[in-house]
Amino acid sequence: QQQVKQSPQSLIVQKGGIPIINCAYENTAFDYFPWYQQFPGKGPALLIAIRPDVSEKKEGRFTISFNKSAKQFSLHIMDSQPGDSATYFCAAPSDYKLSFGAGTTVTVRA
Amino acid sequence: DTGVSQNPRHKITKRGQNVTFRCDPISEHNRLYWYRQTLGQGPEFLTYFQNEAQLEKSRLLSDRFSAERPKGSFSTLEIQRTEQGDSAMYLCASSSWTSGRGTGELFFGEGSRLTVL
């Protein structure tokens, strides 16, 4: 039932490193690809999103790369900081709701 | 701050008891969602409302679960005869999603954590 498949499950990087999280989808009708960020004890919050008419979008240190032919999109966290340690979810829309990936826990060590 | 509010934040109950969670969405949002999240997993869709109408229910939502949004404002999620497998974080989200394609942003509350002993 999962509409998007996310990898890896977890990631540990040193401060300043670039964690990369990947997400694959099947439904070519998807036209919006968001990433959500969740801190412990909090609900997920929208981090950044992309539409398939562009291949890359940057917001601050966060970048989405979109590969339409491979049906994949990825999140890059540039110059990662300990405060970026969180769980990240990709998602895809379907009938006015979002289906989420299983999540990637990113740990940034100082 | 008038974000999405959920109560209670934590609930511990014994198997077989009924529990009810409340969600107060962002006031101008017409859509309200319930998701369930277990440890190490992403949020799983349960159901959603457009105003007071419940438009979709997941197969995850057994007949022990019922959700209402009586006046198109706050919503309640009731679980009857709780089972240990119901232990999870129950997340509420709201949105002003209106277009037929694409999506509006979902604004999540901090969740209600249920532990069934």
Side-chain angles (χ1 to χ4, degrees):
Chain A
Q1 184 176 352
Q2 214 170 35
Q3 306 265 19
V4 288
K5 293 187 177 179
Q6 186 174 342
S7 63
Q9 188 175 6
S10 63
L11 210 47
I12 300 174
V13 298
Q14 293 296 125
K15 179 182 173 183
I18 306 175
I20 300 172
I21 308 169
N22 300 301
C23 196
Y25 66 95
E26 287 296 323
N27 190 338
T28 55
F30 292 159
D31 62 351
Y32 174 83
F33 300 92
W35 285 94
Y36 278 70
Q37 179 188 53
Q38 185 177 30
F39 293 104
K42 302 291 186 182
L46 179 66
L47 180 65
I48 185 173
I50 194 170
R51 299 215 179 259
D53 52 347
V54 296
S55 60
E56 186 176 275
K57 182 175 180 180
K58 293 181 181 180
E59 285 188 4
R61 295 182 294 101
F62 299 91
T63 298
I64 296 181
S65 297
F66 182 75
N67 186 330
K68 191 172 184 177
S69 61
K71 292 190 285 186
Q72 292 181 343
F73 59 109
S74 59
L75 177 70
H76 301 234
I77 307 175
M78 315 304 276
D79 186 27
S80 59
Q81 301 297 311
D84 298 328
S85 296
T87 301
Y88 295 83
F89 298 97
C90 61
S94 175
D95 299 328
Y96 294 100
K97 64 184 183 292
L98 292 181
S99 296
F100 289 86
T104 299
T105 300
V106 173
T107 303
V108 181
R109 293 193 169 147
Chain B
D1 186 294
T2 55
V4 177
S5 176
Q6 292 189 246
N7 288 288
R9 293 291 315 280
H10 304 274
K11 179 71 176 179
I12 300 173
T13 191
K14 293 183 179 178
R15 188 179 56 186
Q17 298 295 303
N18 299 344
V19 296
T20 299
F21 300 115
R22 175 179 170 127
C23 173
D24 288 272
I26 294 171
S27 58
E28 61 267 30
H29 285 177
N30 62 330
R31 293 184 190 270
L32 185 148
Y33 302 79
W34 286 99
Y35 281 80
R36 180 172 69 187
Q37 186 176 26
T38 53
L39 196 63
Q41 297 298 316
E44 295 175 298
F45 170 77
L46 293 178
T47 188
Y48 89 91
F49 294 83
Q50 179 178 338
N51 301 314
E52 66 275 11
Q54 188 172 17
L55 295 188
E56 187 173 342
K57 293 193 290 186
S58 163
R59 284 171 289 181
L60 293 175
L61 211 67
S62 77
D63 56 6
R64 296 184 297 105
F65 288 70
S66 62
E68 294 182 343
R69 194 183 184 197
K71 297 182 180 179
S73 56
F74 73 92
S75 175
T76 58
L77 177 68
E78 181 183 16
I79 309 173
Q80 295 182 327
R81 305 180 304 281
T82 53
E83 301 173 356
Q84 288 183 326
D86 298 331
S87 295
M89 176 75 82
Y90 290 86
L91 292 165
C92 176
S94 69
S95 174
S96 57
W97 192 336
T98 55
S99 64
R101 283 177 58 80
T103 184
E105 177 180 353
L106 295 190
F107 293 81
F108 283 89
E110 295 192 333
S112 293
R113 181 169 295 284
L114 174 65
T115 302
V116 181
L117 301 176

